[in-house]
Amino acid sequence: GVFHEFGHALAAACERVSVHGAGAFVLALYPGAWVDIDEAELRALPPVAQLRVVCAGALHNVVLALAALAALHTAPLWLAPLYQ
């Protein structure tokens, strides 16, 4: 979703690839997002830099999943005061 696409946009900006636009939408109750980066500038990058931009979305998904897992495992600690 939005966090995934933010990863692509952030990596593209770090590699000095132009980001022409970005947006979010909801289609049949499913949220989605998109980022429009300059394909010619992306193709002109070295292969490792291209891979950085392409894989950044998946990396952001992993970071978000780990944060959610940490929140889930620590929930008893931060929710306990609400039950006292």
Side-chain angles (χ1 to χ4, degrees), residues 10 22-24 39 41-42 49 57 68 72 74 77 79 82:
L10 183 63
E39 291 290 327
E41 290 179 17
L42 181 63
L72 180 66
T74 61
L77 296 174
L79 287 176
L82 299 175

Side-chain angles (χ1 to χ4, degrees), residues 4-64:
H4 174 98
E5 293 302 327
F6 174 74
H8 291 301
L10 183 63
C14 287
E15 295 294 338
R16 304 209 192 301
V17 174
S18 300
V19 177
H20 297 298
F25 59 90
V26 176
L27 180 63
L29 301 176
Y30 179 77
W34 56 271
V35 174
D36 182 19
I37 62 174
D38 191 303
E39 291 290 327
E41 290 179 17
L42 181 63
R43 278 191 233 106
L45 292 175
V48 172
Q50 288 181 31
L51 194 59
R52 235 180 259 127
V53 174
V54 172
C55 292
L59 176 63
H60 276 70
N61 287 352
V62 170
V63 169
L64 184 60

